[in-house]
Amino acid sequence: MDFVPATGTITMFTTDWCGYCKRLKKQLDTAGIGYTEVNIERVDGTPELVMSLNNGNQTVPTILYPDGSAATNPSLAQVQAKLA
């Protein structure tokens, strides 16, 4: 699967129990930034993808940007700056 998002949006890899994920989703909603949420506990192959982006760790939220770059647990300001 290709998880690279459309221009101006992000893909966010999450879990149900991640408080940081819930906080960032709320901030993104308030800021009007579109995202596709992918729960790594429900989508086959995504734990390995997240691990490949995080030096072997299943750290969430992991964000994938339209240019193919990634960030781990970024702030709203960091997401906004990257999408600007």
Side-chain angles (χ1 to χ4, degrees), residues 40-56:
I40 68 169
E41 296 177 323
R42 297 182 185 173
V43 180
D44 290 341
T46 56
E48 295 79 10
L49 173 60
V50 168
M51 288 172 64
S52 74
L53 297 169
N54 291 299
N55 299 313

Side-chain angles (χ1 to χ4, degrees), residues 1-72:
M1 289 181 106
D2 182 12
F3 294 103
V4 177
T7 301
T9 68
I10 61 170
T11 299
M12 180 167 36
F13 296 96
T14 67
T15 61
D16 288 331
W17 49 265
C18 174
Y20 295 112
C21 299
K22 291 174 185 172
R23 181 187 69 195
L24 184 57
K25 287 189 293 185
K26 184 176 180 181
Q27 292 172 339
L28 292 168
D29 289 341
T30 299
I33 296 173
Y35 59 92
T36 299
E37 182 178 2
V38 180
N39 187 318
I40 68 169
E41 296 177 323
R42 297 182 185 173
V43 180
D44 290 341
T46 56
E48 295 79 10
L49 173 60
V50 168
M51 288 172 64
S52 74
L53 297 169
N54 291 299
N55 299 313
N57 297 308
Q58 289 186 20
T59 308
V60 290
T62 295
I63 305 301
L64 193 59
Y65 293 106
D67 66 2
S69 65
T72 305

